[in-house]
Amino acid sequence: MSDSKAADVTAMCHVNPRGARIVSLGRCEICQGRGFVDGVFRDWPCAACDGAGLVVKETGEKMESTAMIEQLRLRLNGALAQNDALRRMLPDGGPSDDYLGMTNKHHIGGGNWTGD
Ligand SMILES: [Zn+2]
């Protein structure tokens, strides 16, 4: 990646509290985000994105695998933190507790029989 493209990518990303940059990722247009392309006898990993299905959104270039793993890890950690925050916003009790196995001693969902 040239320095000007690297500067463009740096301008488009934001930094998480620990200093790691989250780069904007886009879908690989060659494989349509699947990470593989159709071959005659088998599917092949997409060479345009190294099988990730994602590329740098601004440049359309693939990332190295270690950088892609970091980007996916940052996104996963953010999504898990958001999921925990949303779960804490739920009121205590109710049908959701049954599906989490918190109220029913028999099995998950067993106390919410709907008659279907
Ligand atoms: Zn691809």
Side-chain angles (χ1 to χ4, degrees):
M1 183 181 302
S2 68
D3 290 327
S4 64
K5 286 184 178 180
D8 292 342
V9 170
T10 303
M12 299 308 258
C13 52
H14 57 281
V15 179
N16 77 351
R18 294 181 187 253
R21 291 189 188 122
I22 299 175
V23 178
S24 296
L25 298 176
R27 187 176 76 159
C28 175
E29 294 303 321
I30 303 298
C31 65
Q32 303 297 315
R34 296 183 307 163
F36 59 87
V37 292
D38 297 329
V40 175
F41 297 108
R42 58 175 284 224
D43 296 330
W44 295 95
C46 177
C49 63
D50 277 344
L54 298 169
V55 293
V56 177
K57 189 172 188 176
E58 299 305 317
T59 63
E61 295 177 348
K62 64 183 175 186
M63 299 182 81
E64 291 185 23
S65 59
T66 53
M68 182 60 78
I69 290 169
E70 180 183 37
Q71 292 300 310
L72 295 177
R73 178 179 48 80
L74 291 171
R75 283 168 170 75
L76 176 63
N77 289 342
L80 291 174
Q82 184 181 20
N83 192 17
D84 288 343
L86 291 172
R87 190 176 304 273
R88 283 192 297 272
M89 292 172 58
L90 287 174
D92 291 335
S96 64
D97 283 353
D98 186 30
Y99 288 105
L100 296 174
M102 298 172 68
T103 58
N104 192 326
K105 297 176 183 173
H106 302 294
H107 57 88
I108 293 175
N112 191 26
W113 185 73
T114 59
D116 293 344

